[in-house]
Amino acid sequence: MVPKFMMANGALVRVLIHTDVTKYLNFKVVDGSFVYNKGKIYKVPATDVEALKSPLMGLFEKRRARKFFIYVQDFEEDDPKSHEGLDLHKVTARELISKYGLEDDTIDFIGHALALYIDDKYLDEPAIDFVKRMKLYAESLARFNGGSPYIYPLYGLGELPQAFARLSAVYGGTYMLNKPQCKVEFDGSGKAIGVSSEGETAKCKKVVCDPSYLPDKVKKVGKVARAVCIMSHPIPDTNDSHSAQVILPQKQLGRKSDMYLFCCSYAHNVASKGKYIAFVTAEAETDKPEEELKPGIDLLGPVDEIFYDTFDRYVPTNNYELDNCFISTSYDATTHFESTVKDVLAMYSKITGKALDLSVDLSAASAATDQQ
């Protein structure tokens, strides 16, 4: 129920390949990646060729955007010739963009729908991360020649824990599902020593959990508003995409953060034949999800059934070196896994004391691109 797509060349896919979980999963490419601009939905242009075709920009802006995309495509961190005299570790994203004279609306979709930043803070940070994110998007898009850079498991995200459960079993791990009232047990010095449920305790040296298990070791940092919509048609203006993401940049809505539309359907085996499931999510800025999410819901056309939900977002406040508890941050409103995977990799490093090497053969994961 937390809808997120995976970037085809992104960190999560690398993690899945690294762990060999991909043999238990089947993916299908997401049909479309779109951005909202001045009341309309447009395909996100990600390459110099697409920039020239995009109705998002006027003629002169297209040419400027094309030059910028070519710079990004040709940029290689270890090849100074491709840097055009700019040190992207020092130059900010704002300075890099101003060199190409791009308009605010163009910057908006590049920063939010391509580089997937959730606000505009990145503009005053070193441009290297910005360029790398754009390259990741373009490389992921080219990977399967689909309409988007995203992939999604057939039968939905519930397949991920199932695949890891299978892999865990191969290595002798034990899964116990739906255990009631799990309580973390601590010794006199405050270190976690086990988890108890129904009168039994599983002993351990480290506990890895989400914030709900240790509410006194986390703090609330926000909340996410979400609408779940069941429809009998694709989102209008998305080229009849069976699966799609639409990003509504904050500026377009006069908000502090972006809004996201996520849609998938019977094509990914997550709904009955002819049905589409759309989610509208945003970091809640008010206590009225129905009103707040209206700009996104208005883009969906007729909806058969709609459900509203809000959930709090937490971050850990504990010192894992003292209590051996490793707590994840809550899911955010984004409809992709990029921010979540960062958190997972950081937890991995804390738990094991080493960084995970994600240089893997990406061809080990494949995805179906055919339209069903």
Side-chain angles (χ1 to χ4, degrees):
M1 294 302 286
V2 179
K4 289 184 187 289
F5 290 132
M6 299 171 201
M7 197 65 104
N9 274 18
L12 179 57
V13 169
R14 290 169 185 272
V15 166
L16 297 178
I17 293 169
H18 177 87
T19 52
D20 217 13
V21 165
T22 42
K23 64 185 174 201
Y24 302 120
L25 289 163
N26 288 309
F27 295 99
K28 190 164 155 34
V29 173
V30 172
D31 295 338
S33 175
F34 300 89
V35 64
Y36 174 84
N37 183 276
K38 297 192 171 73
K40 288 192 179 148
I41 292 176
Y42 298 91
K43 182 180 190 308
V44 177
T47 63
D48 56 324
V49 180
E50 289 193 335
L52 285 179
K53 288 189 207 154
S54 176
L56 265 171
M57 300 171 278
L59 185 62
F60 295 111
E61 182 69 358
K62 281 180 180 177
R63 289 168 63 180
R64 290 189 287 265
R66 177 174 179 261
K67 280 187 181 151
F68 178 58
F69 280 136
I70 288 172
Y71 170 76
V72 170
Q73 279 157 320
D74 293 346
F75 179 86
E76 295 295 339
E77 197 168 0
D78 44 14
D79 175 12
K81 278 205 228 44
S82 71
H83 298 186
E84 291 186 14
L86 298 173
D87 180 352
L88 295 194
H89 290 278
K90 294 193 178 128
V91 173
T92 65
R94 193 185 297 278
E95 289 163 342
L96 173 65
I97 291 166
S98 68
K99 180 174 183 255
Y100 289 89
L102 299 178
E103 293 167 3
D104 279 356
D105 277 353
T106 309
I107 298 166
D108 222 18
F109 84 71
I110 288 176
H112 291 256
L114 266 175
L116 302 178
Y117 286 104
I118 51 179
D119 54 37
D120 281 340
K121 289 194 194 111
Y122 76 93
L123 285 167
D124 298 308
E125 289 166 0
I128 185 75
D129 182 54
F130 171 56
V131 169
K132 280 184 174 168
R133 282 172 172 235
M134 284 187 67
K135 279 182 85 70
L136 171 65
Y137 189 103
E139 285 160 7
S140 297
L141 186 67
R143 171 95 188 271
F144 296 121
N145 297 320
S148 84
Y150 302 107
I151 57 177
Y152 191 71
L154 286 177
Y155 303 102
L157 292 179
E159 292 296 285
L160 285 177
Q162 176 172 268
F164 276 104
R166 283 183 171 191
L167 189 74
S168 165
V170 170
Y171 288 97
T174 303
Y175 261 69
M176 298 169 86
L177 300 177
N178 211 16
K179 292 289 278 182
Q181 289 144 357
C182 286
K183 181 169 175 285
V184 180
E185 302 290 348
F186 296 92
D187 65 12
S189 67
K191 279 197 188 315
I193 49 168
V195 177
S196 58
S197 170
E198 295 180 307
E200 296 177 301
T201 303
K203 294 267 196 305
C204 65
K205 293 195 175 82
K206 294 174 182 175
V207 169
V208 184
C209 64
D210 76 25
S212 65
Y213 291 95
L214 291 168
D216 54 340
K217 291 182 183 283
V218 295
K219 69 170 181 192
K220 182 178 162 182
V221 289
K223 66 178 179 180
V224 174
R226 173 171 64 189
V228 185
C229 309
I230 301 171
M231 313 191 298
S232 301
H233 59 85
I235 297 176
D237 304 319
T238 58
N239 308 333
D240 292 335
S241 296
H242 280 121
S243 50
Q245 169 182 269
V246 185
I247 292 182
L248 290 71
Q250 56 182 75
K251 266 193 198 145
Q252 300 289 328
L253 304 174
R255 287 173 48 85
K256 294 191 197 76
S257 57
D258 294 356
M259 190 174 291
Y260 300 87
L261 301 190
F262 169 106
C263 175
C264 60
S265 67
Y266 60 95
H268 271 94
N269 303 348
V270 297
S272 347
K273 190 86 177 132
K275 293 290 177 191
Y276 295 75
I277 315 286
F279 290 80
V280 183
T281 49
E283 181 70 19
E285 294 173 10
T286 69
D287 287 329
K288 300 184 176 125
E290 290 89 345
E291 283 174 29
E292 195 166 349
L293 298 174
K294 191 174 183 311
I297 292 162
D298 286 350
L299 296 173
L300 299 178
V303 171
D304 303 347
E305 197 77 56
I306 187 163
F307 307 90
Y308 290 97
D309 181 22
T310 52
F311 57 92
D312 293 333
R313 280 198 314 111
Y314 296 95
V315 294
T317 53
N318 66 318
N319 181 343
Y320 62 89
E321 288 170 338
L322 298 179
D323 61 13
N324 287 348
C325 294
F326 300 86
I327 308 168
S328 63
T329 58
S330 305
Y331 289 115
D332 60 18
T334 61
T335 43
H336 48 76
F337 270 108
E338 296 307 292
S339 46
T340 300
V341 175
K342 253 190 195 148
D343 181 40
V344 170
L345 294 176
M347 284 176 74
Y348 177 90
S349 298
K350 286 173 188 166
I351 293 164
T352 62
K354 47 185 190 266
L356 185 61
D357 177 12
L358 287 180
S359 48
V360 294
D361 174 14
L362 280 163
S363 63
S366 58
T369 52
D370 56 307
Q371 281 284 339
Q372 298 291 324

mmCIF file of all heavy atoms in Angstrom, residues 169-199:
data_model
loop_
_atom_site.group_PDB
_atom_site.id
_atom_site.type_symbol
_atom_site.label_atom_id
_atom_site.label_comp_id
_atom_site.label_asym_id
_atom_site.label_seq_id
_atom_site.Cartn_x
_atom_site.Cartn_y
_atom_site.Cartn_z
ATOM 1 N N ALA A 169 15.315 -18.399 3.506
ATOM 2 C CA ALA A 169 15.122 -19.822 3.823
ATOM 3 C C ALA A 169 16.257 -20.673 3.254
ATOM 4 O O ALA A 169 16.717 -21.629 3.887
ATOM 5 C CB ALA A 169 13.781 -20.289 3.266
ATOM 6 N N VAL A 170 16.724 -20.283 2.050
ATOM 7 C CA VAL A 170 17.829 -21.022 1.423
ATOM 8 C C VAL A 170 19.055 -20.995 2.339
ATOM 9 O O VAL A 170 19.818 -21.950 2.424
ATOM 10 C CB VAL A 170 18.176 -20.400 0.039
ATOM 11 C CG1 VAL A 170 19.457 -20.979 -0.521
ATOM 12 C CG2 VAL A 170 17.020 -20.613 -0.933
ATOM 13 N N TYR A 171 19.241 -19.863 3.036
ATOM 14 C CA TYR A 171 20.407 -19.720 3.927
ATOM 15 C C TYR A 171 20.085 -20.088 5.374
ATOM 16 O O TYR A 171 20.808 -19.741 6.291
ATOM 17 C CB TYR A 171 20.942 -18.279 3.856
ATOM 18 C CG TYR A 171 21.627 -17.992 2.550
ATOM 19 C CD1 TYR A 171 20.958 -17.362 1.502
ATOM 20 C CD2 TYR A 171 22.951 -18.392 2.341
ATOM 21 C CE1 TYR A 171 21.590 -17.114 0.285
ATOM 22 C CE2 TYR A 171 23.592 -18.154 1.133
ATOM 23 C CZ TYR A 171 22.906 -17.516 0.114
ATOM 24 O OH TYR A 171 23.538 -17.284 -1.085
ATOM 25 N N GLY A 172 18.941 -20.742 5.585
ATOM 26 C CA GLY A 172 18.617 -21.215 6.932
ATOM 27 C C GLY A 172 17.907 -20.203 7.814
ATOM 28 O O GLY A 172 17.811 -20.383 9.026
ATOM 29 N N GLY A 173 17.417 -19.136 7.232
ATOM 30 C CA GLY A 173 16.689 -18.142 8.019
ATOM 31 C C GLY A 173 15.280 -18.627 8.330
ATOM 32 O O GLY A 173 14.745 -19.500 7.655
ATOM 33 N N THR A 174 14.674 -18.088 9.392
ATOM 34 C CA THR A 174 13.304 -18.454 9.748
ATOM 35 C C THR A 174 12.414 -17.228 9.673
ATOM 36 O O THR A 174 12.774 -16.179 10.222
ATOM 37 C CB THR A 174 13.252 -19.001 11.198
ATOM 38 O OG1 THR A 174 14.156 -20.108 11.276
ATOM 39 C CG2 THR A 174 11.852 -19.464 11.557
ATOM 40 N N TYR A 175 11.285 -17.346 9.012
ATOM 41 C CA TYR A 175 10.306 -16.250 8.947
ATOM 42 C C TYR A 175 9.117 -16.607 9.811
ATOM 43 O O TYR A 175 8.603 -17.719 9.717
ATOM 44 C CB TYR A 175 9.826 -16.067 7.499
ATOM 45 C CG TYR A 175 10.514 -14.940 6.780
ATOM 46 C CD1 TYR A 175 11.849 -15.022 6.432
ATOM 47 C CD2 TYR A 175 9.823 -13.770 6.470
ATOM 48 C CE1 TYR A 175 12.487 -13.988 5.782
ATOM 49 C CE2 TYR A 175 10.455 -12.725 5.820
ATOM 50 C CZ TYR A 175 11.783 -12.842 5.478
ATOM 51 O OH TYR A 175 12.400 -11.806 4.837
ATOM 52 N N MET A 176 8.681 -15.692 10.655
ATOM 53 C CA MET A 176 7.437 -15.892 11.394
ATOM 54 C C MET A 176 6.560 -14.696 11.075
ATOM 55 O O MET A 176 6.921 -13.557 11.391
ATOM 56 C CB MET A 176 7.714 -15.995 12.884
ATOM 57 C CG MET A 176 8.598 -17.184 13.211
ATOM 58 S SD MET A 176 9.202 -17.156 14.888
ATOM 59 C CE MET A 176 7.871 -17.944 15.741
ATOM 60 N N LEU A 177 5.453 -14.931 10.433
ATOM 61 C CA LEU A 177 4.614 -13.827 9.968
ATOM 62 C C LEU A 177 3.470 -13.553 10.930
ATOM 63 O O LEU A 177 2.962 -14.453 11.592
ATOM 64 C CB LEU A 177 4.044 -14.155 8.582
ATOM 65 C CG LEU A 177 5.092 -14.386 7.497
ATOM 66 C CD1 LEU A 177 4.414 -14.778 6.195
ATOM 67 C CD2 LEU A 177 5.941 -13.159 7.288
ATOM 68 N N ASN A 178 3.083 -12.283 10.985
ATOM 69 C CA ASN A 178 1.880 -11.892 11.721
ATOM 70 C C ASN A 178 1.945 -12.236 13.209
ATOM 71 O O ASN A 178 0.948 -12.605 13.808
ATOM 72 C CB ASN A 178 0.654 -12.587 11.086
ATOM 73 C CG ASN A 178 -0.585 -11.714 11.229
ATOM 74 O OD1 ASN A 178 -0.479 -10.533 11.519
ATOM 75 N ND2 ASN A 178 -1.750 -12.297 11.039
ATOM 76 N N LYS A 179 3.132 -12.147 13.797
ATOM 77 C CA LYS A 179 3.240 -12.417 15.238
ATOM 78 C C LYS A 179 2.666 -11.223 16.000
ATOM 79 O O LYS A 179 3.018 -10.079 15.723
ATOM 80 C CB LYS A 179 4.703 -12.615 15.643
ATOM 81 C CG LYS A 179 5.322 -13.878 15.090
ATOM 82 C CD LYS A 179 4.778 -15.134 15.738
ATOM 83 C CE LYS A 179 5.435 -15.433 17.054
ATOM 84 N NZ LYS A 179 4.915 -16.689 17.635
ATOM 85 N N PRO A 180 1.800 -11.454 16.976
ATOM 86 C CA PRO A 180 1.173 -10.316 17.674
ATOM 87 C C PRO A 180 2.108 -9.716 18.728
ATOM 88 O O PRO A 180 2.948 -10.408 19.293
ATOM 89 C CB PRO A 180 -0.051 -10.948 18.338
ATOM 90 C CG PRO A 180 0.328 -12.379 18.533
ATOM 91 C CD PRO A 180 1.274 -12.741 17.415
ATOM 92 N N GLN A 181 1.952 -8.439 18.976
ATOM 93 C CA GLN A 181 2.628 -7.730 20.074
ATOM 94 C C GLN A 181 4.088 -8.113 20.253
ATOM 95 O O GLN A 181 4.495 -8.624 21.288
ATOM 96 C CB GLN A 181 1.870 -7.972 21.390
ATOM 97 C CG GLN A 181 0.556 -7.240 21.408
ATOM 98 C CD GLN A 181 -0.543 -8.020 22.119
ATOM 99 O OE1 GLN A 181 -0.352 -9.133 22.562
ATOM 100 N NE2 GLN A 181 -1.730 -7.430 22.204
ATOM 101 N N CYS A 182 4.875 -7.892 19.213
ATOM 102 C CA CYS A 182 6.314 -8.153 19.332
ATOM 103 C C CYS A 182 6.942 -7.061 20.203
ATOM 104 O O CYS A 182 6.729 -5.878 19.962
ATOM 105 C CB CYS A 182 6.978 -8.135 17.955
ATOM 106 S SG CYS A 182 6.589 -9.594 16.995
ATOM 107 N N LYS A 183 7.705 -7.495 21.197
ATOM 108 C CA LYS A 183 8.296 -6.526 22.117
ATOM 109 C C LYS A 183 9.806 -6.762 22.147
ATOM 110 O O LYS A 183 10.263 -7.898 22.293
ATOM 111 C CB LYS A 183 7.688 -6.742 23.507
ATOM 112 C CG LYS A 183 8.207 -5.791 24.560
ATOM 113 C CD LYS A 183 7.347 -5.895 25.828
ATOM 114 C CE LYS A 183 7.904 -5.041 26.947
ATOM 115 N NZ LYS A 183 9.104 -5.595 27.584
ATOM 116 N N VAL A 184 10.552 -5.670 21.977
ATOM 117 C CA VAL A 184 12.016 -5.796 22.029
ATOM 118 C C VAL A 184 12.438 -5.852 23.495
ATOM 119 O O VAL A 184 11.997 -5.035 24.313
ATOM 120 C CB VAL A 184 12.699 -4.609 21.313
ATOM 121 C CG1 VAL A 184 14.216 -4.752 21.371
ATOM 122 C CG2 VAL A 184 12.226 -4.517 19.868
ATOM 123 N N GLU A 185 13.255 -6.854 23.834
ATOM 124 C CA GLU A 185 13.728 -7.010 25.221
ATOM 125 C C GLU A 185 15.138 -6.427 25.359
ATOM 126 O O GLU A 185 15.971 -6.615 24.465
ATOM 127 C CB GLU A 185 13.767 -8.508 25.602
ATOM 128 C CG GLU A 185 12.429 -9.223 25.468
ATOM 129 C CD GLU A 185 11.402 -8.783 26.505
ATOM 130 O OE1 GLU A 185 11.788 -8.087 27.464
ATOM 131 O OE2 GLU A 185 10.211 -9.122 26.344
ATOM 132 N N PHE A 186 15.384 -5.726 26.471
ATOM 133 C CA PHE A 186 16.690 -5.097 26.698
ATOM 134 C C PHE A 186 17.325 -5.637 27.971
ATOM 135 O O PHE A 186 16.632 -6.041 28.902
ATOM 136 C CB PHE A 186 16.526 -3.577 26.830
ATOM 137 C CG PHE A 186 16.019 -2.922 25.576
ATOM 138 C CD1 PHE A 186 14.653 -2.724 25.375
ATOM 139 C CD2 PHE A 186 16.899 -2.511 24.590
ATOM 140 C CE1 PHE A 186 14.175 -2.132 24.215
ATOM 141 C CE2 PHE A 186 16.436 -1.910 23.419
ATOM 142 C CZ PHE A 186 15.083 -1.725 23.228
ATOM 143 N N ASP A 187 18.676 -5.638 28.023
ATOM 144 C CA ASP A 187 19.351 -6.021 29.278
ATOM 145 C C ASP A 187 19.505 -4.772 30.158
ATOM 146 O O ASP A 187 19.063 -3.676 29.790
ATOM 147 C CB ASP A 187 20.696 -6.704 28.998
ATOM 148 C CG ASP A 187 21.709 -5.758 28.343
ATOM 149 O OD1 ASP A 187 21.452 -4.533 28.316
ATOM 150 O OD2 ASP A 187 22.752 -6.241 27.856
ATOM 151 N N GLY A 188 20.162 -4.953 31.298
ATOM 152 C CA GLY A 188 20.292 -3.849 32.264
ATOM 153 C C GLY A 188 20.998 -2.632 31.692
ATOM 154 O O GLY A 188 20.757 -1.501 32.122
ATOM 155 N N SER A 189 21.886 -2.839 30.725
ATOM 156 C CA SER A 189 22.642 -1.703 30.181
ATOM 157 C C SER A 189 21.917 -1.045 29.001
ATOM 158 O O SER A 189 22.451 -0.146 28.361
ATOM 159 C CB SER A 189 24.025 -2.173 29.732
ATOM 160 O OG SER A 189 23.892 -3.042 28.619
ATOM 161 N N GLY A 190 20.681 -1.535 28.689
ATOM 162 C CA GLY A 190 19.911 -0.905 27.612
ATOM 163 C C GLY A 190 20.189 -1.470 26.229
ATOM 164 O O GLY A 190 19.741 -0.921 25.227
ATOM 165 N N LYS A 191 20.920 -2.588 26.173
ATOM 166 C CA LYS A 191 21.182 -3.206 24.858
ATOM 167 C C LYS A 191 20.076 -4.203 24.518
ATOM 168 O O LYS A 191 19.606 -4.933 25.387
ATOM 169 C CB LYS A 191 22.520 -3.963 24.877
ATOM 170 C CG LYS A 191 23.729 -3.054 24.680
ATOM 171 C CD LYS A 191 24.944 -3.890 24.304
ATOM 172 C CE LYS A 191 26.248 -3.123 24.270
ATOM 173 N NZ LYS A 191 26.237 -1.847 23.613
ATOM 174 N N ALA A 192 19.674 -4.235 23.248
ATOM 175 C CA ALA A 192 18.651 -5.196 22.824
ATOM 176 C C ALA A 192 19.217 -6.610 22.901
ATOM 177 O O ALA A 192 20.339 -6.864 22.450
ATOM 178 C CB ALA A 192 18.230 -4.885 21.396
ATOM 179 N N ILE A 193 18.433 -7.528 23.493
ATOM 180 C CA ILE A 193 18.926 -8.911 23.609
ATOM 181 C C ILE A 193 17.947 -9.923 23.008
ATOM 182 O O ILE A 193 18.226 -11.113 22.919
ATOM 183 C CB ILE A 193 19.192 -9.302 25.090
ATOM 184 C CG1 ILE A 193 17.972 -8.929 25.955
ATOM 185 C CG2 ILE A 193 20.445 -8.641 25.603
ATOM 186 C CD1 ILE A 193 17.985 -9.514 27.344
ATOM 187 N N GLY A 194 16.766 -9.446 22.579
ATOM 188 C CA GLY A 194 15.820 -10.389 22.001
ATOM 189 C C GLY A 194 14.491 -9.722 21.679
ATOM 190 O O GLY A 194 14.293 -8.538 21.952
ATOM 191 N N VAL A 195 13.609 -10.534 21.091
ATOM 192 C CA VAL A 195 12.263 -10.053 20.770
ATOM 193 C C VAL A 195 11.282 -11.100 21.277
ATOM 194 O O VAL A 195 11.432 -12.289 20.994
ATOM 195 C CB VAL A 195 12.086 -9.879 19.241
ATOM 196 C CG1 VAL A 195 10.655 -9.445 18.924
ATOM 197 C CG2 VAL A 195 13.068 -8.849 18.698
ATOM 198 N N SER A 196 10.277 -10.659 22.062
ATOM 199 C CA SER A 196 9.337 -11.649 22.600
ATOM 200 C C SER A 196 7.930 -11.442 22.040
ATOM 201 O O SER A 196 7.529 -10.330 21.712
ATOM 202 C CB SER A 196 9.312 -11.580 24.133
ATOM 203 O OG SER A 196 8.956 -10.283 24.537
ATOM 204 N N SER A 197 7.229 -12.562 21.901
ATOM 205 C CA SER A 197 5.839 -12.548 21.440
ATOM 206 C C SER A 197 5.180 -13.839 21.904
ATOM 207 O O SER A 197 5.793 -14.906 21.833
ATOM 208 C CB SER A 197 5.811 -12.466 19.904
ATOM 209 O OG SER A 197 4.491 -12.691 19.434
ATOM 210 N N GLU A 198 3.972 -13.739 22.385
ATOM 211 C CA GLU A 198 3.199 -14.907 22.830
ATOM 212 C C GLU A 198 4.005 -15.792 23.785
ATOM 213 O O GLU A 198 4.029 -17.012 23.656
ATOM 214 C CB GLU A 198 2.744 -15.738 21.621
ATOM 215 C CG GLU A 198 1.763 -14.972 20.725
ATOM 216 C CD GLU A 198 1.306 -15.807 19.530
ATOM 217 O OE1 GLU A 198 2.177 -16.330 18.809
ATOM 218 O OE2 GLU A 198 0.093 -15.921 19.335
ATOM 219 N N GLY A 199 4.702 -15.126 24.726
ATOM 220 C CA GLY A 199 5.398 -15.894 25.764
ATOM 221 C C GLY A 199 6.718 -16.503 25.335
ATOM 222 O O GLY A 199 7.393 -17.152 26.142
#
